[in-house]
Amino acid sequence: MEKFDKLTGVAAPMPLVNIDTDMIIPKQFLKTIKRSGLGVHLFDEMRYLDDGSPNPDFVLNKPAYRDARILVAGDNFGCGSSREHAPWALLDFGIRCVISTSFADIFYNNCFKNGILPIVLPREDVDKLMDDARRGANAVITVDLERQEIHGPDGGTLHFDLDPFKKHCLLNGLDDISLTLEKAKAIDDFEQKATRARPWV
Amino acid sequence: MTDPKTLYDKIWDAHLVSEDDDGTALLYIDRHLVHEVTSPQAFEGLRMAGRKVRAPEKTIAVPDHNVPTTLDREKGIENEESRIQVEALDKNAREFGIHYYPVNDVRQGIVHIVGPEQGWTLPGMTVVCGDSHTATHGAFGALAHGIGTSEVEHVLATQTLIQKKSKNMKVEITGRLQPGVTAKDLTLAVIGATGTAGGTGHVIEYCGEAIRGLSMEGRMTVCNMAIEGGARAGLIAPDDTTFEYVRGRPHAPRGAQWEAALAWWKTLYTDEGAHFDKVVTLKGEDIAPVVTWGTSPEDVLPITASVPAPEDFEGGKVDAVRRALDYMGLTPGMKLTDIAVDTVFIGSCTNGRIEDLRAVAEIVRGRKIKEGMRAMIVPGSGLVRAQAEEEGLAAIFEEAGFEWRLAGCSMCLAMNPDQLAPGERCAATSNRNFEGRQGKGGRTHLVSPQMAAAAALTGRLTDVRDLL
Ligand code: SF4
């Protein structure tokens, strides 16, 4: 998993509330064999017109936001099914941080498994960032995970809270597997003991 | 003296690698089963991180969800995405050196049927698979449950799983089952009694005389649907029935190892006085052949009953029932035995084993299915198919008018071409009757193999006891 320390990039505004995982990545794309490559289908139904051409009104199709790295989103982002394809699609597009007043639980956890930082802020802070994000290519903000700060385009600074363990994992690029591998010795020991006790396994 | 333990406690303790103060535990996994739908990203993850499969000798892969079950399947898979998923499994299995049963291997079949059949699943093991019906393997007294794709990768890389312990729940079925009543009716009756959230947060141990009286096939049917009852896993303590089933299987221990294994397996039971957080008891004699009428596995009634009305329920269920009846095209008060079916599907990891097929043959022997009926029998594995042919069951099926298919998941979830058309009504031996599960707009009634056979003969939901 890629480390997350400091991220500077364009923030795109998505004020819609209850953006669910079906909207993030519709079910017809679950037959894929990859985590990668889902970026072109991110927000598929909103992003493309019936004939398959990009919908010019959709935020991520606007020239200013095509390279957005951050989403500022409405309440309850990521609700719906547990599909890990949702964070995979965001990551593949290039989004590494989503800011909202609230997230659905499973989506929130799935983000951390994939190197994406979901930030929960009070409504007034999200509103402020949403206004900033509306300023197109000038909406460049910086997220500093170490200091738990967001620096807006006008130099203002916002603080955010985060579980220390999750922060540690993201900063060091540790996924569950890396963490478990830190316990390799314990697993080796267990395996030896178990093989002696139950050699038929 | 140590505290009395449940069977779940014993298996858990025997696999605990480490445990943190907050109860987060690292559990060692003895068997990892893999199929083509939930594994490609996990293997890709390994590749990207330059990792290997830690214990390829404990990892078994078989394609089942996407494979065609028609006799011409050597032609290959038509749907491109399905084909690619299966090809990816081929490639991953070979590249990472795990045990593999490809489509053209006679041992290929539904992953939860292949594991036990080959002796991969043994008592006291921890078994996982990226599939919720992994619960099936609990029939052997193995702790078995489904996991997500990130966890599949985690197990591939570390042979462990990060877990928190569930609560203990006991489901006791006393007495005996009546003639015509099967393990499927039993497990559906339990879900009907507890609801689909009844087991949430728990591991269920099934016990009691009626459970002891079941064959291994029947016990697998019971544990298979523990997940529909909301439980993390279902367990049945191993006994002589279990040991006899396991003995001599290709990957079961032999000689001195068999003796050592047997000695340990015999300690795998719940101690007298062990604590259960929840207990449910049903009388075996009270269980009738059942069918589902709605779109949740808890929508269960005896075949002798009538379609319920939304007002018979309370709270949020009232609206759910209204929606379900509308989807199912049923009117309250209608007798269940008056419901005409278009299609019969016999198979799946719930009821695709040899004993299920024998039971079907017994009902349809010398009879013909209703004219115009679409009826298919899909064996759970190539070996089940071969055995059914050897025993002459296949001939009985074909004579009666059934399509006799190759092994796979087939119409259980309709990821391959076997699908219901909108409005088509099916009596199915599978485990989920959700909206669209067997095809968009399809209507599913879950039943036992015997009841499915009876429905195929009469063209409507039928009390199999009338045909015995
Ligand atoms: S038979 Fe059905 S329930 Fe069983 S593994 Fe296949 S799709 Fe899942």
Side-chain angles (χ1 to χ4, degrees), chain B residues 449-463:
Chain B
Q450 283 87 331
M451 290 280 284
L457 295 175
T458 63
R460 53 185 169 77
L461 296 180
T462 299
D463 191 336

Side-chain angles (χ1 to χ4, degrees), chain B residues 26 73 79 158 168 203 222 252 274 277 347 370 397 422:
Chain B
L26 199 60
R73 93 165 158 203
N79 179 282
T158 69
N168 280 290
V203 166
V222 170
D277 302 278
K370 173 98 177 171
F397 300 149

Side-chain angles (χ1 to χ4, degrees), chain B residues 35 64-65 110-112 131-134 136 224 228 345 347-350 408-414 430-432 437:
Chain B
H35 67 69
D64 53 8
H65 285 63
I110 303 167
V111 64
H112 308 307
D131 190 282
S132 55
H133 289 100
T134 311
T136 312
N224 175 271
E228 274 68 43
F345 168 66
S348 89
C349 58
T350 317
C409 293
S410 182
M411 207 193 263
C412 174
L413 90 166
S430 46
N431 47 43
R432 283 183 177 153
R437 168 77 176 183

